[in-house]
Amino acid sequence: MAQQKPKTNPGRYFEDYAVGQTLVHAVPRTVSGGERALYHALYPARHALYSSDEFARACGLPASPIDDLAAFHVVFGKTVPDVSLNAVANLGYAEGRWLKPVYQGDTLRSESEVIGLKQNSNGKTGVVYVRTRGLNQRDETVMEYVRWVMVRKKNLEAGAPETVLPDLKPALDASDLVIPDGLDFSNYDFSLAGEPHRWGDYEVGETIDHVDGVTIEEAEHMMATRLWQNTAKVHFDLTFRPEGRLIYGGHVISMARALSFNGLANAQMIAGLNAGAHANPCFAGDTIKAFSEVLDKAETAAPGVGAIRLRLVATKGDVQDVHNGQKDEKGRYKTDILLDLDYWALMPI
Amino acid sequence: MAQQKPKTNPGRYFEDYAVGQTLVHAVPRTVSGGERALYHALYPARHALYSSDEFARACGLPASPIDDLAAFHVVFGKTVPDVSLNAVANLGYAEGRWLKPVYQGDTLRSESEVIGLKQNSNGKTGVVYVRTRGLNQRDETVMEYVRWVMVRKKNLEAGAPETVLPDLKPALDASDLVIPDGLDFSNYDFSLAGEPHRWGDYEVGETIDHVDGVTIEEAEHMMATRLWQNTAKVHFDLTFRPEGRLIYGGHVISMARALSFNGLANAQMIAGLNAGAHANPCFAGDTIKAFSEVLDKAETAAPGVGAIRLRLVATKGDVQDVHNGQKDEKGRYKTDILLDLDYWALMPI
Amino acid sequence: MAQQKPKTNPGRYFEDYAVGQTLVHAVPRTVSGGERALYHALYPARHALYSSDEFARACGLPASPIDDLAAFHVVFGKTVPDVSLNAVANLGYAEGRWLKPVYQGDTLRSESEVIGLKQNSNGKTGVVYVRTRGLNQRDETVMEYVRWVMVRKKNLEAGAPETVLPDLKPALDASDLVIPDGLDFSNYDFSLAGEPHRWGDYEVGETIDHVDGVTIEEAEHMMATRLWQNTAKVHFDLTFRPEGRLIYGGHVISMARALSFNGLANAQMIAGLNAGAHANPCFAGDTIKAFSEVLDKAETAAPGVGAIRLRLVATKGDVQDVHNGQKDEKGRYKTDILLDLDYWALMPI
């Protein structure tokens, strides 16, 4: 084999980041009904606003958007080659906001700004904070979120950068949320939506066991992950990870959110992502179940639209058991917990 | 875990039904090319009218419709949360008719009327008969069928309702079938359709072994079942059914119908469903094969269009063996038989 | 079971072919965003021209076409019932050219001309050469290729036909390639495409290890193969091949080509297929990896567009090992090699 400088992407190492850098992520994507159909084949997604053009129009939108998490995955997937190819851990999310619904025919691309850096005391890794924006073909930001990951250093001799820790909100305030133009739940059809429970029926502190479970297959998570053009080797290559292909954390998010339809059918639109932890790895053969806890509620200026802050916990074990506490006595997530997500959704009042 | 009245859907029990009730099923669905592509990826579907806009136009339709069974699954899936969540058995179908082709961009919703009830002598279950209609965004009925299921009682103290048994036709008459507006097989292209055999070439009593077989995978049947937004737990959750996820009966129907292309490539459109039995459960790993028997033939008023009544039998065993008899000496289906379906199709004369 | 002349397709045997015959293949297909989404879910396809309408427009095309290999599979799949149902081996490809991009909404059909025949000395099989054309709804040829297969004789008494061997080019000359109307890479966006390497950066003889690997699942290859309406029994029916379902060779081609994005992200369009060998069978559980070798380079008349001739080798073993030689001392492919493909692609200069 002739020697040459490799043309393949080695990914970025910790020393390759600098605060203020803008990373223009590759491979824009035009979405169509194909993405939606696949999303609904891969997850038990049933929120009516994302299933029916007619229902969406009755809520003031021009058509049924692509599922909010599908838009998130498209935006996120593009960042992987630049942000997380050499990541050791996906540490957190904050300040995620959906700013514009994404419709069939829209083309999405992503950009990230490096907003924080902190080398770890071991000198071998560091934490990189990026604020990622998804933009459509009109250069409108359709969503944004902050994510931080632990990334390996390649050159251990490289000096530590000045530590910059971004000032991140522990949770968005309801007033930070952006309601899609025209959204109006005044004439919301609860029968077609699938459940009678309105915003006013939920109490802060209430928990909902979503009852249903799905046992995950390899073909499914790989199809999902590829559809979002996420290229991380760990999800696909059993020779690279003989102990089992790691399932993309976003697959668990979408599965849990779709399962949450049963009890939260009217939490239609995701408007904000406050925080999220992929508590333990998920593998094919695991059965995902989920429960939600109502963390907060707020009114909005849009007609008939309330905001509800939800904690969504996914487990591969018994839901009742994890209801009773998700962490052990040392504050670590129990091994059955897969996901602990904190988000804002929009509901009919 | 705080106590609260569960917001999740418990499903209806036998005592929750009354003759004359209308059930408005949730989650309307707009279909696109995505649903068609997935249908053709999940089943070896090749009927030309459902594959090519050009072929469909040459047959007098405005475009290629969504496969008739895909339309059926979309309509059927919506009924599951209201009709069969607590069903013990799916007992039968009758009087199914496809009334309007469904096109990309159409939005479907479903409604069912309870048309019959009969409590079983054990006092623990009863049979519920519903007539389900699928409607499009113009409130046109695109299809309808009767289905009856055995449903558990929750409150065993509840009194038995008056027994009402609907008067159902053992099979539709050809004159009951609705031919899509404009359908014209006068200039039908047999080369592009894939086989030379026309309506006149089939004889009542003739059987056709469809030769091909497909070994089923978990990922496939779950993707299909989710795409139709069918939420029955038994199909997805291996902790709920450790003995194996039960495959949605409609997956077997679509697989068998697609396999029947080989020998019935010109039985293009499904116009009526006379009867159907899911004779035995199907699991991943089973190999589905099929044969058809010509039960009846009739002319129609549409140019070049004949009607053919077919029995479609799917088996996980040897086709030749089941050809020789599908039931044992006690009149029970042999354990290899998965499906026994009786339907009307439209063919070029 | 009543006796009747089978209506199913027995496929053609060697004695059924004659040089000069035209085979009109069945089941035209209208493609949509659904086919694209599925292609991108089944393969890690990321070439920007096939992902983004905006990117394609910036390159002078009206929209993002269907992936070239997806177009190939659609055209190829239709030929299976007429060409390879009784084939013992898929021997080679030559003179493949992509003549027009295929867009969503296009309807494809296929025709093949028999251009060569040679009975083998054993008298039991023979080689059939066909030139296949894919046509769109305007009767424009969108692609063409020559393929030859070894086919069984059914009637061993049938005389050997006159041997006709087509005069095939070992490789297309760059001047044989057809550049899509309007294609212009003058303002090519390397950031959005994903890599900075332009045509001028590649040297003849250079090899690129594409690094990534994908472990194949049964559900995936069957979904792909069905989507292309390829009906060959060996891919689907485990009772027919208890030793394992054979994966459609085209699945390996698409997987390897998609993996080649890593290092060849700017080899956007496939313009010519010079040769191809499915060196060994592929089964579920195999992990596909790939490397490319630059065989040739040429300029084209289109603004900013260069042609690059690439050899794409897929292996289920160690890439470094196969880099060092793909054949054993007897000239046979090593058992790990799955694919050896020779094609022309178009790149920004």
Side-chain angles (χ1 to χ4, degrees):
Chain A
M1 180 182 182
Q3 291 298 319
Q4 78 272 348
K5 185 161 178 299
K7 289 193 164 67
T8 47
N9 176 22
R12 283 164 191 268
Y13 292 89
F14 181 68
E15 64 270 26
D16 299 325
Y17 295 93
V19 169
Q21 266 178 342
T22 294
L23 311 174
V24 174
H25 306 300
V27 193
R29 174 110 195 137
T30 307
V31 296
S32 77
E35 276 75 8
R36 186 166 73 181
L38 265 165
Y39 193 84
H40 289 236
L42 291 164
Y43 309 107
R46 297 202 292 141
H47 288 91
L49 194 64
Y50 300 88
S51 180
S52 163
D53 282 345
E54 305 298 318
F55 191 95
R57 280 181 203 125
C59 296
L61 301 182
S64 177
I66 296 290
D67 292 76
D68 300 310
L69 290 174
F72 169 75
H73 296 315
V74 170
V75 171
F76 180 100
K78 302 186 189 328
T79 70
V80 169
D82 301 311
V83 175
S84 42
L85 218 56
N86 300 310
V88 193
N90 199 2
L91 298 172
Y93 304 97
E95 298 186 5
R97 298 197 301 168
W98 282 257
L99 304 169
K100 292 259 179 195
V102 177
Y103 295 101
Q104 295 179 28
D106 281 356
T107 299
L108 300 184
R109 58 191 175 83
S110 303
E111 291 181 2
S112 295
E113 188 187 351
V114 180
I115 59 167
L117 285 175
K118 180 178 184 302
Q119 183 165 312
N120 288 328
S121 53
N122 63 15
K124 295 180 180 167
T125 55
V127 179
V128 180
Y129 294 78
V130 294
R131 187 180 301 274
T132 297
R133 271 179 289 270
L135 300 106
N136 67 16
Q137 69 278 14
R138 289 179 297 276
D139 288 331
E140 297 164 338
T141 301
V142 298
M143 77 163 305
E144 61 179 19
Y145 62 91
V146 173
R147 175 189 178 211
W148 55 106
V149 291
M150 192 185 301
V151 178
R152 274 194 292 274
K153 289 184 75 167
K154 187 173 191 183
N155 173 13
L156 299 185
E157 308 298 308
E162 186 189 354
T163 293
V164 177
L165 292 178
D167 184 25
L168 298 173
K169 300 188 182 186
L172 294 169
D173 192 79
S175 63
D176 294 325
L177 305 178
V178 174
I179 314 291
D181 282 350
L183 190 71
D184 181 344
F185 285 159
S186 309
N187 297 305
Y188 190 89
D189 187 328
F190 289 86
S191 294
L192 286 182
E195 290 183 350
H197 323 299
R198 46 180 76 234
W199 181 85
D201 296 329
Y202 291 85
E203 286 175 39
V204 173
E206 179 177 348
T207 61
I208 300 136
D209 176 346
H210 299 301
V211 177
D212 302 309
V214 175
T215 309
I216 304 286
E217 297 293 317
E218 300 280 15
E220 292 170 356
H221 77 81
M222 292 201 294
M223 288 182 68
T225 309
R226 276 192 293 253
L227 184 59
W228 319 126
Q229 302 179 306
N230 176 334
T231 60
K233 235 172 140 79
V234 293
H235 307 315
F236 301 108
D237 182 348
L238 202 48
T239 68
F240 182 72
R241 269 189 64 94
E243 67 273 36
R245 282 164 280 187
L246 203 58
I247 291 179
Y248 163 48
H251 192 62
V252 179
I253 296 178
S254 279
M255 192 61 81
R257 158 72 177 165
L259 289 171
S260 79
F261 177 92
N262 196 359
L264 281 166
N266 297 318
Q268 288 285 352
M269 306 193 86
I270 301 183
L273 175 62
N274 298 309
H278 299 291
N280 283 290
C282 180
F283 298 96
D286 289 348
T287 298
I288 300 182
K289 295 174 186 175
F291 79 91
S292 293
E293 180 182 350
V294 180
L295 297 179
D296 199 1
K297 290 172 65 179
E299 296 185 357
T300 82
V305 179
I308 186 165
R309 184 177 159 203
L310 296 161
R311 181 180 178 214
L312 174 62
V313 177
T315 174
K316 57 182 174 182
D318 184 72
V319 173
Q320 203 55 41
D321 183 49
V322 301
H323 255 121
N324 297 329
Q326 296 80 46
K327 298 190 179 179
D328 65 16
E329 64 285 354
K330 294 189 178 171
R332 293 173 306 206
Y333 279 107
K334 293 180 184 171
T335 54
D336 276 354
I337 304 287
L338 300 171
L339 173 75
D340 191 352
L341 196 80
D342 178 340
Y343 72 104
W344 280 103
L346 304 179
M347 273 192 122
I349 281 179
Chain B
M1 180 181 182
Q3 291 298 317
Q4 80 272 349
K5 187 163 176 296
K7 288 194 166 66
T8 48
N9 177 21
R12 284 165 191 266
Y13 292 89
F14 181 68
E15 64 269 27
D16 298 325
Y17 294 94
V19 170
Q21 265 178 342
T22 294
L23 311 174
V24 175
H25 305 302
V27 194
R29 174 106 195 140
T30 306
V31 296
S32 78
E35 276 76 8
R36 187 166 73 181
L38 266 165
Y39 194 83
H40 289 234
L42 291 164
Y43 309 107
R46 298 201 293 139
H47 288 90
L49 193 64
Y50 300 88
S51 180
S52 163
D53 282 346
E54 306 298 316
F55 191 95
R57 281 181 202 125
C59 296
L61 301 183
S64 178
I66 295 290
D67 293 76
D68 300 311
L69 290 175
F72 169 75
H73 296 315
V74 170
V75 172
F76 180 100
K78 301 186 189 328
T79 70
V80 168
D82 300 312
V83 175
S84 42
L85 218 57
N86 299 311
V88 192
N90 199 0
L91 298 172
Y93 303 98
E95 298 185 4
R97 298 196 303 169
W98 280 257
L99 304 169
K100 293 258 181 197
V102 176
Y103 295 101
Q104 295 179 27
D106 281 355
T107 300
L108 300 184
R109 58 191 175 85
S110 304
E111 291 181 2
S112 296
E113 188 188 351
V114 180
I115 60 168
L117 286 176
K118 180 178 183 304
Q119 182 165 314
N120 286 328
S121 54
N122 64 14
K124 295 178 179 169
T125 55
V127 180
V128 179
Y129 295 78
V130 294
R131 187 179 303 272
T132 296
R133 270 177 291 270
L135 299 107
N136 68 16
Q137 69 278 14
R138 290 179 297 276
D139 288 330
E140 297 162 339
T141 302
V142 299
M143 78 163 305
E144 59 178 20
Y145 63 89
V146 173
R147 174 189 178 211
W148 55 105
V149 291
M150 192 185 301
V151 179
R152 274 194 293 274
K153 289 181 78 167
K154 186 172 192 186
N155 172 12
L156 299 185
E157 308 298 307
E162 187 190 353
T163 294
V164 175
L165 292 178
D167 184 24
L168 298 172
K169 298 186 183 189
L172 294 169
D173 192 79
S175 62
D176 294 325
L177 304 178
V178 173
I179 313 292
D181 283 350
L183 190 72
D184 181 346
F185 284 159
S186 309
N187 298 305
Y188 189 89
D189 187 328
F190 290 86
S191 293
L192 286 182
E195 290 183 352
H197 324 300
R198 47 179 77 232
W199 181 84
D201 296 329
Y202 291 84
E203 285 173 39
V204 173
E206 180 177 346
T207 61
I208 300 137
D209 176 347
H210 298 302
V211 177
D212 303 311
V214 175
T215 309
I216 304 287
E217 297 293 317
E218 300 281 14
E220 292 171 356
H221 76 82
M222 291 201 296
M223 288 182 70
T225 309
R226 275 190 295 252
L227 184 59
W228 318 127
Q229 302 178 307
N230 176 335
T231 58
K233 233 172 142 81
V234 292
H235 307 315
F236 301 108
D237 181 350
L238 202 49
T239 67
F240 182 72
R241 268 190 65 94
E243 67 274 37
R245 282 164 279 186
L246 203 60
I247 292 179
Y248 164 47
H251 192 61
V252 179
I253 296 178
S254 280
M255 192 59 82
R257 159 71 178 166
L259 289 171
S260 79
F261 177 92
N262 196 358
L264 282 165
N266 296 317
Q268 289 285 353
M269 305 193 85
I270 301 183
L273 175 62
N274 298 308
H278 298 292
N280 283 290
C282 181
F283 297 96
D286 288 347
T287 299
I288 299 182
K289 296 176 184 172
F291 78 92
S292 293
E293 179 182 351
V294 180
L295 296 179
D296 199 358
K297 291 171 64 178
E299 296 184 357
T300 82
V305 179
I308 186 166
R309 185 177 158 202
L310 296 161
R311 182 180 176 211
L312 174 62
V313 177
T315 175
K316 58 182 174 182
D318 184 73
V319 172
Q320 203 57 41
D321 184 50
V322 300
H323 254 122
N324 296 329
Q326 295 81 43
K327 298 192 180 178
D328 65 17
E329 64 285 352
K330 293 190 178 170
R332 294 172 306 204
Y333 279 106
K334 293 179 182 170
T335 53
D336 277 354
I337 304 288
L338 300 171
L339 174 73
D340 191 351
L341 197 80
D342 177 341
Y343 72 105
W344 281 102
L346 305 179
M347 275 194 121
I349 282 180
Chain C
M1 179 181 183
Q3 290 298 317
Q4 78 273 348
K5 186 161 177 297
K7 287 192 166 68
T8 48
N9 176 22
R12 284 164 191 268
Y13 292 89
F14 181 67
E15 65 270 25
D16 299 326
Y17 294 94
V19 169
Q21 266 178 342
T22 294
L23 310 173
V24 175
H25 305 301
V27 193
R29 173 108 195 139
T30 306
V31 296
S32 78
E35 275 76 8
R36 186 165 75 182
L38 265 165
Y39 194 84
H40 289 235
L42 291 165
Y43 309 109
R46 298 202 291 140
H47 287 91
L49 193 64
Y50 300 88
S51 180
S52 163
D53 283 345
E54 306 298 318
F55 191 95
R57 281 181 202 125
C59 295
L61 301 183
S64 178
I66 295 291
D67 291 77
D68 299 312
L69 290 175
F72 169 76
H73 295 315
V74 170
V75 171
F76 181 99
K78 300 185 190 328
T79 71
V80 168
D82 300 312
V83 175
S84 43
L85 217 56
N86 299 310
V88 192
N90 199 1
L91 297 172
Y93 303 97
E95 298 186 5
R97 299 197 302 170
W98 280 257
L99 304 170
K100 294 257 180 198
V102 176
Y103 296 100
Q104 295 179 27
D106 281 355
T107 300
L108 300 184
R109 59 191 175 84
S110 303
E111 290 181 2
S112 296
E113 189 188 351
V114 180
I115 60 167
L117 285 176
K118 181 178 182 305
Q119 183 164 314
N120 287 328
S121 54
N122 63 15
K124 295 180 180 168
T125 56
V127 179
V128 180
Y129 294 79
V130 294
R131 187 180 301 274
T132 297
R133 271 179 289 270
L135 299 107
N136 68 14
Q137 69 279 12
R138 290 179 298 277
D139 289 329
E140 298 163 338
T141 302
V142 298
M143 78 162 305
E144 60 179 18
Y145 62 91
V146 173
R147 175 188 178 213
W148 54 108
V149 291
M150 192 185 303
V151 178
R152 274 195 293 274
K153 289 182 75 166
K154 185 172 191 186
N155 172 12
L156 299 184
E157 308 298 308
E162 187 190 353
T163 294
V164 175
L165 292 178
D167 184 25
L168 299 172
K169 299 185 182 189
L172 294 169
D173 192 79
S175 62
D176 295 324
L177 304 178
V178 174
I179 314 291
D181 283 350
L183 190 72
D184 181 346
F185 284 158
S186 309
N187 297 306
Y188 189 90
D189 187 328
F190 289 86
S191 294
L192 286 183
E195 290 183 352
H197 324 299
R198 47 180 75 234
W199 180 84
D201 296 329
Y202 291 85
E203 287 174 37
V204 174
E206 178 177 349
T207 60
I208 301 137
D209 176 346
H210 298 302
V211 178
D212 303 310
V214 174
T215 309
I216 304 287
E217 296 293 317
E218 299 281 15
E220 292 171 356
H221 76 83
M222 292 202 295
M223 287 182 71
T225 309
R226 275 191 294 252
L227 184 58
W228 319 126
Q229 302 179 307
N230 177 334
T231 59
K233 235 173 140 80
V234 292
H235 307 314
F236 301 108
D237 182 350
L238 202 48
T239 67
F240 182 71
R241 269 190 64 93
E243 67 273 36
R245 281 163 282 186
L246 202 60
I247 291 179
Y248 163 47
H251 193 62
V252 178
I253 296 179
S254 280
M255 191 60 81
R257 159 72 177 164
L259 289 171
S260 80
F261 178 92
N262 196 357
L264 282 166
N266 297 318
Q268 288 285 352
M269 304 193 87
I270 302 183
L273 175 61
N274 298 309
H278 298 293
N280 283 290
C282 181
F283 297 96
D286 288 348
T287 298
I288 299 182
K289 295 174 183 173
F291 79 92
S292 294
E293 180 182 352
V294 180
L295 297 179
D296 199 0
K297 291 172 65 179
E299 296 185 355
T300 81
V305 180
I308 186 165
R309 184 176 159 203
L310 296 161
R311 181 178 175 213
L312 175 62
V313 177
T315 176
K316 59 182 174 182
D318 184 72
V319 172
Q320 202 57 40
D321 183 50
V322 300
H323 254 122
N324 296 330
Q326 296 80 45
K327 298 192 180 177
D328 65 16
E329 65 286 352
K330 293 191 179 169
R332 292 172 307 204
Y333 279 106
K334 292 180 184 171
T335 53
D336 276 355
I337 305 288
L338 299 171
L339 174 75
D340 192 351
L341 196 80
D342 178 340
Y343 72 104
W344 281 103
L346 304 179
M347 273 193 123
I349 282 181

